[in-house]
Amino acid sequence: MGVIKLKNIRVFSYHGCLDEEGKIGSEYRVDLKIKGDLSRSAKTDDLSDTIDYVHLNKIVKEEMAIRSKLLETVAERILVRIMDELLKVQKAKVAVSKINPPIGGNVAMVTVSRSKSR
């Protein structure tokens, strides 16, 4: 089993329950931790034998572009697509963070983490 991590994927998006969040948007950070069998690709040096992190990044950016009220919903969509599109993935964990959330305090970020396994 091997691990691929994508840390601090930065995107600007429009998630949130407030109407203003849908208009002005906010900065987000997404982190992925992907587990799968990487032994074949380690031997063949062939992209088709591994879990393509370019594809993972594409999924994150596309799903973050779809407005949702809850970060839980965004995280779930990301996980479903990863499991559907990348069959070599055995386990995926995603953390979606809203930077400087509008919650009436000095909070650097709020994060929702979810995971799925085959």
Side-chain angles (χ1 to χ4, degrees):
M1 192 68 71
V3 175
I4 295 174
K5 294 180 182 179
L6 279 75
K7 294 183 179 182
N8 203 15
I9 302 168
R10 295 178 185 206
V11 294
F12 192 88
S13 196
Y14 298 88
H15 307 299
C17 293
L18 303 175
D19 288 339
E20 295 147 0
E21 292 174 294
K23 294 174 185 171
I24 63 172
S26 183
E27 291 185 45
Y28 292 82
R29 169 186 169 162
V30 179
D31 298 295
L32 292 178
K33 182 177 181 182
I34 307 298
K35 291 185 178 182
D37 184 357
L38 304 179
S39 59
R40 181 175 172 91
S41 60
K43 293 175 185 170
T44 66
D45 196 31
D46 189 335
L47 180 61
S48 65
D49 290 331
T50 194
I51 299 165
D52 185 354
Y53 52 80
V54 173
H55 192 156
L56 291 167
N57 188 56
K58 179 179 178 261
I59 290 170
V60 168
K61 289 187 174 187
E62 288 176 356
E63 293 304 322
M64 288 297 292
I66 301 168
R67 177 165 161 65
S68 294
K69 291 180 184 176
L70 302 178
L71 298 181
E72 292 89 327
T73 305
V74 181
E76 179 69 13
R77 284 199 320 261
I78 291 169
L79 288 172
V80 166
R81 280 203 50 201
I82 288 170
M83 299 307 274
D84 286 350
E85 296 178 22
L86 297 163
L87 300 179
K88 291 177 177 70
V89 173
Q90 293 301 309
K91 183 174 184 179
K93 180 178 181 182
V94 63
V96 180
S97 303
K98 181 182 282 193
I99 310 299
N100 298 317
I103 59 176
N106 187 9
V107 178
M109 74 176 88
V110 62
T111 302
V112 172
S113 297
R114 305 238 347 175
S115 63
K116 282 195 182 296
S117 299
R118 291 203 193 278

